[in-house]
Amino acid sequence: MSTSMAMKESYDVVVIGSGFGGAITAFRNAEAGKTVAVLEQGRRWPKEAFPRTVGQTAGAFWRQQGPRGFLEYRSFKNIDVIQGVGVGGGSLHYFNVNLPAPERVLERWPKPLDRRTLDPYYDRAREKLGSRALSPPDGRVLPPRTLAFQAAAAKAPGVGAPTLTDIAVHTGADRVNWAGVPQAGCVYCGNCMLGCHVQAKNSLDITYLADAERRLGAEIYPLHQVKVIRPATDRGEGYWVDFRVLEGGDGDPATEGHVHGKKVVVAAGTLGSNELLLRCRDQAGTLPRLSHALGKRFSGNGDMLFAGALDMPGAIDPAQGPSITAIADCSTRENTIHIEDLGYADPMMWLLEGVLPPTTGRLRNALKLAGRYLARSLGLGGRSSPVTDQLGSLLGQGRTNHFLPFLGMGSDAADGRFRLRGGELDVDWSHRGSRLMFRQMEDAMRRISQAGGGRYTPSFLWRWPLRKLLT
């Protein structure tokens, strides 16, 4: 079979991947009158399909054989990577933040990639994604996590004044957005990482992709896993894109197919794009002239997740509100470093509650509550007292309720390298060249923690003997 279902044999542009690179490329080419096909490995995610319970969250992860989740977690020697798989790519699970690159970062890039050149395009993307500082929904105020972070960062020495950061979240009244998709306002559920069930998050599936498909005629093909790109020598121009149609995760044999593109855009994410192109150059031999720079200079964005301030004096309730709301510039002479507040979905907070060690006081109170409950159940002891009073006090002392999580991002050495090993992608990456930056980042996190009255705790992945990061 040469084509899949209603797919045409040839398009002006074939886009591989539907994340930020692929969605905007597809939209702008369709807007210019081109015929466009988007091939996406993952499936569509209607808002009611996003997981909410701890049990459902297991199905959020992508497996080659099994559930076709929208989160792919890949583990390498020194770094783990989470990436999006689904119509909308990483926008389904990212933390909504849209920031222009700082000038000093762009100085390391080839000219003419400077802010003056890029600013008009940043403005366009911000407008389409509705990116702006958080304005609380009616009847709500800024989340306690936001206020705690702002207060701590404002008092911390050597930290720039914290600001609310631009996020792609709708907090107003219910509406139909510019792409024709109904949206409700943010309800502060904190589930940005697990998909937004009220569609307050301006993800790509309900913005760029929706308009490209409904109004401009772009065609989106979910569950199409691209295997190889090869020159279309029989047509004299363009490329053939070979794919497999995945069968919804039930293990049935998949259908093979191919489609012709006069132009092909590879936008399959950092891992997916490198893996596909390395396969074409080094394994299939279909694109032998690809640059020797392919796969080099991998950066993890200098990401530091799961660190934060323990034992903050006030209740933080970090799962409440959009995942990130505020940012502080902690750059040094040597490195660009930004630290943001970070909230996790409730299933993740339960994980952290188990990972974080209990305080002596909380452990003592838990044992006291258990003893009293057992005594009353056996008819022993004095008069009864409401268990809910003691239980509420105990839950209020939970580590995560007084935990202010951070997300650090910095200018790491960008010295990682992708390779194919046994046909699978692997990355050689070490934090050795970035140690100074990570030390400076942790020092800033420590100062913010102390200024807020808390105690800094590093990521459980970053502790010995793992010494791993997650991006």
Side-chain angles (χ1 to χ4, degrees):
M1 160 173 182
S2 62
T3 57
S4 168
M5 301 191 54
M7 184 185 292
K8 293 188 280 287
E9 186 176 78
S10 181
Y11 294 83
D12 294 326
V13 182
V14 173
V15 180
I16 302 169
S18 63
F20 284 100
I24 296 175
T25 299
F27 174 84
R28 293 300 179 190
N29 275 278
E31 189 180 49
K34 308 289 186 182
T35 57
V36 176
V38 180
L39 307 184
E40 166 57 52
Q41 178 176 244
R43 65 182 180 90
R44 291 185 190 267
W45 283 85
K47 63 181 183 179
E48 62 273 8
F50 288 122
R52 282 297 168 263
T53 67
V54 174
Q56 291 171 349
T57 301
F61 288 90
W62 170 268
R63 300 174 196 170
Q64 289 293 343
Q65 300 294 330
R68 304 293 188 192
F70 61 92
L71 292 166
E72 184 175 21
Y73 194 114
R74 299 181 72 167
S75 181
F76 302 101
K77 183 179 179 182
N78 294 311
I79 193 167
D80 292 349
V81 180
I82 290 183
Q83 60 182 4
V85 187
V87 175
S91 75
L92 298 176
H93 72 84
Y94 88 126
F95 295 137
N96 315 312
V97 177
N98 303 136
L99 287 177
E103 285 278 9
R104 64 182 293 187
V105 171
L106 288 173
E107 287 172 1
R108 302 166 56 184
W109 284 67
K111 303 303 178 191
L113 288 181
D114 55 28
R115 281 293 300 272
R116 188 175 63 179
T117 304
L118 291 175
D119 274 347
Y121 302 100
Y122 281 132
D123 292 342
R124 253 190 232 185
R126 264 199 295 243
E127 179 186 0
K128 289 292 187 188
L129 293 170
S131 301
R132 57 182 62 90
L134 175 62
S135 176
D138 284 347
R140 294 184 183 270
V141 296
L142 289 174
R145 184 188 74 244
T146 308
L147 298 173
F149 179 84
Q150 288 180 309
K155 291 191 294 183
V159 173
T163 59
L164 295 177
T165 188
D166 286 348
I167 55 175
V169 177
H170 172 61
T171 59
D174 293 359
R175 67 176 185 180
V176 175
N177 74 2
W178 63 269
V181 179
Q183 283 187 285
C186 177
V187 294
Y188 273 21
C189 67
N191 284 316
C192 304
M193 182 179 177
L194 294 179
C196 184
H197 70 287
V198 299
Q199 292 190 324
K201 179 181 193 173
N202 297 319
S203 49
L204 298 169
D205 55 324
I206 65 169
T207 52
Y208 281 99
L209 291 171
D211 200 45
E213 189 174 27
R214 296 179 185 182
R215 183 174 64 88
L216 302 174
E219 299 172 18
I220 300 174
Y221 295 94
L223 294 171
H224 279 56
Q225 186 179 63
V226 173
K227 308 305 291 182
V228 170
I229 305 167
R230 49 193 171 89
T233 53
D234 54 332
R235 284 181 167 260
E237 67 170 343
Y239 299 87
W240 287 107
V241 178
D242 297 343
F243 56 79
R244 296 172 68 237
V245 182
L246 305 178
E247 296 293 342
D250 57 6
D252 291 344
T255 302
E256 305 287 336
H258 60 259
V259 63
H260 173 260
K262 295 177 183 176
K263 294 185 183 299
V264 173
V265 177
V266 182
T270 301
L271 271 61
S273 294
N274 279 277
E275 188 169 26
L276 174 60
L277 293 176
L278 286 168
R279 186 187 306 132
C280 291
R281 188 189 69 184
D282 300 340
Q283 210 168 48
T286 56
L287 300 176
R289 297 175 61 189
L290 286 175
S291 170
H292 290 294
L294 177 65
K296 297 179 180 177
R297 306 293 295 170
F298 165 73
S299 167
N301 296 325
D303 281 353
M304 173 76 75
L305 288 95
F306 300 129
L310 277 174
D311 305 329
M312 292 288 286
I316 301 298
D317 195 7
Q320 183 186 159
S323 293
I324 289 175
T325 58
I327 188 169
D329 189 343
C330 303
S331 298
T332 65
R333 185 181 61 196
E334 299 87 0
N335 292 293
T336 304
I337 298 171
H338 288 88
I339 295 173
E340 301 158 322
D341 69 318
L342 178 58
Y344 298 104
D346 276 329
M348 183 64 71
M349 299 313 297
W350 282 109
L351 167 67
L352 290 177
E353 189 71 54
V355 169
L356 298 171
T359 61
T360 302
R362 185 174 185 238
L363 183 59
R364 182 173 57 247
N365 289 343
L367 293 173
K368 186 184 298 183
L369 172 60
R372 287 178 179 172
Y373 181 76
L374 180 61
R376 292 305 305 163
S377 298
L378 296 175
L380 305 174
R383 66 178 181 83
S384 64
S385 60
V387 171
T388 49
D389 289 352
Q390 300 164 40
L391 185 59
S393 174
L394 179 65
L395 292 175
Q397 295 167 1
R399 305 308 305 275
T400 54
N401 195 40
H402 293 267
F403 178 51
L404 175 59
F406 299 139
L407 170 64
M409 300 185 74
S411 50
D412 69 9
D415 54 0
R417 181 174 182 179
F418 289 117
R419 290 187 174 91
L420 292 180
R421 300 185 192 275
E424 298 292 328
L425 188 73
D426 195 16
V427 59
D428 291 328
W429 184 86
S430 169
H431 52 75
R432 188 176 298 112
S434 306
R435 281 177 180 166
L436 174 62
M437 191 277 292
F438 284 117
R439 279 201 301 270
Q440 293 174 338
M441 179 182 289
E442 285 202 285
D443 181 57
M445 290 180 174
R446 192 172 287 107
R447 281 181 273 126
I448 294 173
S449 301
Q450 292 170 350
R455 177 169 55 86
Y456 174 68
T457 183
S459 163
F460 59 87
L461 290 173
W462 188 237
R463 294 173 182 155
W464 187 89
L466 291 178
R467 300 301 285 177
K468 293 188 77 171
L469 292 172
L470 171 66
T471 184

